[in-house]
Amino acid sequence: MLTAFFEGIPFRMGIVGTSIQPDGQNALIDGFGRRITYVRLSVTDRCDLRCVYCMSEHMSFLPKTELLTLDELDRLATAFVSRGVRKLRLTGGEPLVRRDLLDLVRALSRHLNGGGLDELTLTTNGTQLAKHADALAAAGIRRINVSVDTLDPDAFRATTRGGNLRQVLDGIEAARAAGLAVKINTVALKGTNEDEIEELIAWAHGLGMDLTLIETMPLGDIEPDRTDQFLPLSLVRERLARRWTLTDLATRTGGPARYVRVEETGGRLGFITPLTHNFCESCNRVRVTCTGTLFMCLGQESAVDLRAPLRASAGDELLNAAIDRAIFLKPKGHDFVIDRGRAPSVSRHMSMTGG
Ligand code: SAM
Ligand code: SF4
């Protein structure tokens, strides 16, 4: 093992053959021994909705010239795959508003066929799914996450600031018809959908879809006070347990969710609880924005630019060095706090980092 300094930052590396690789292997292992096998890649910061917990009403988006091109996104994703990343999730913003997204999916699916990737997947708000479901399935996507916070059309319009629930439900139908496994993501919101959570679970499970509940996280400035939105999932679980039998499952899908089976519905229910119980010690992921900034933790500001090394040369040496530097600097965990009047833990919105 050698210890070198890369731009003043301690960098551990071993030497294998002629290439320099961290810890004598190709794998991405952070300073706390966690192996990074999951990348969430944001393809755009834009969205056709403005969910009240995610964005402010008047967002300014990046000029399109700032975004990585399709080839650059492909090259970046491929560099991670060649470093042992097994799961790639395309996200945003809303990934399906990027016009060339399907070309990217088709290109990246070669890693599924070649065995480099176990899974290529997508998180979407579902508004454009009816149009794209068949093509996504044909391109190798097997599972998708769709965000649905309410089944009430008026509440949906209010929560998303203008969204049409019917479009999303039609999109989910099209995805299921195309053979995609759909998981529903629901952000639990105090006073908004808290009385509807059981209905949402019963609906999802009735259609054979898993549902994961998410605690709202303090990311970026929004108009409402997050203290008014925050609903601890410990409380939700307690309420659900009064009606249903919840059996803990050992299942892990490579994410932070902890799962239970709802015995009465037979379906799976996940809990993502970054505020009430974080699972940073087993974190296996990093996030890359649509401009090529690598965020090592959703809840920290630390980041490394991958766009400059990507553009600086046709080879991947500089890119790999920047990735190594970032992974070594991955923080131990986030310090999310939601308090009245307190600034968000990180200044960027979830739609910027890629949820
Ligand atoms: N537009 C797509 C969607 O809504 O599914 C993908 C991007 S969105 C940022 C990914 C996920 O992040 C969604 O499930 C959304 O509900 C969630 N999300 C956004 N802002 C959040 C926040 N502040 N706290 C918790 N979850 C958030
Ligand atoms: Fe758009 Fe998704 Fe954010 Fe809602 S949660 S505003 S759909 S990016």
Side-chain angles (χ1 to χ4, degrees), residues 47 51 53-54 91-95 123-125 145-147 149 185 187 214-219 226 350-351 354-355:
C47 187
C51 300
Y53 51 82
C54 176
T91 182
E94 173 46 39
T123 298
T124 172
N125 63 25
N145 289 357
V146 184
S147 303
D149 301 322
N185 279 345
V187 177
I214 306 172
E215 280 174 348
T216 181
M217 294 171 241
L219 304 171
R226 283 209 161 86
M350 179 79 116
S351 55

Side-chain angles (χ1 to χ4, degrees), residues 269-298:
L269 173 64
F271 294 90
I272 297 184
T273 55
L275 275 294
T276 54
H277 184 181
N278 82 60
F279 297 103
C280 301
E281 71 279 1
S282 57
C283 184
N284 63 349
R285 68 193 49 200
V286 292
R287 292 171 160 85
V288 185
T289 71
C290 54
T291 56
T293 302
L294 173 56
F295 284 101
M296 294 81 97
C297 173
L298 180 63

Side-chain angles (χ1 to χ4, degrees), residues 99-175:
R99 254 184 301 142
D100 47 11
L101 181 81
L102 274 159
D103 295 333
L104 179 66
V105 173
R106 285 187 198 104
L108 291 175
S109 67
R110 72 185 182 282
H111 298 305
L112 291 170
N113 303 330
L117 267 184
D118 294 330
E119 189 167 31
L120 175 60
T121 181
L122 181 79
T123 298
T124 172
N125 63 25
T127 58
Q128 321 265 329
L129 253 184
K131 235 186 303 172
H132 298 303
D134 285 334
L136 288 169
I141 300 249
R142 294 287 164 261
R143 298 194 305 146
I144 57 171
N145 289 357
V146 184
S147 303
V148 181
D149 301 322
T150 172
L151 292 172
D152 176 304
D154 294 330
F156 187 85
R157 197 172 309 112
T159 308
T160 58
R161 297 197 183 95
N164 177 351
L165 178 66
R166 188 69 260 157
Q167 247 179 328
V168 175
L169 297 181
D170 289 348
I172 291 173
E173 212 28 66

Side-chain angles (χ1 to χ4, degrees), residues 327-345:
I327 299 302
F328 184 70
L329 292 174
K330 183 173 163 63
K332 191 167 182 203
H334 64 72
D335 322 299
F336 284 143
V337 180
I338 291 183
D339 262 340
R340 196 167 294 282
R342 188 182 174 116
S345 301

Side-chain angles (χ1 to χ4, degrees), residues 174-194:
R176 296 175 63 236
L180 297 174
V182 177
K183 179 166 80 70
I184 302 297
N185 279 345
T186 300
V187 177
L189 296 163
K190 187 156 78 181
T192 302
N193 62 2
E194 68 176 298

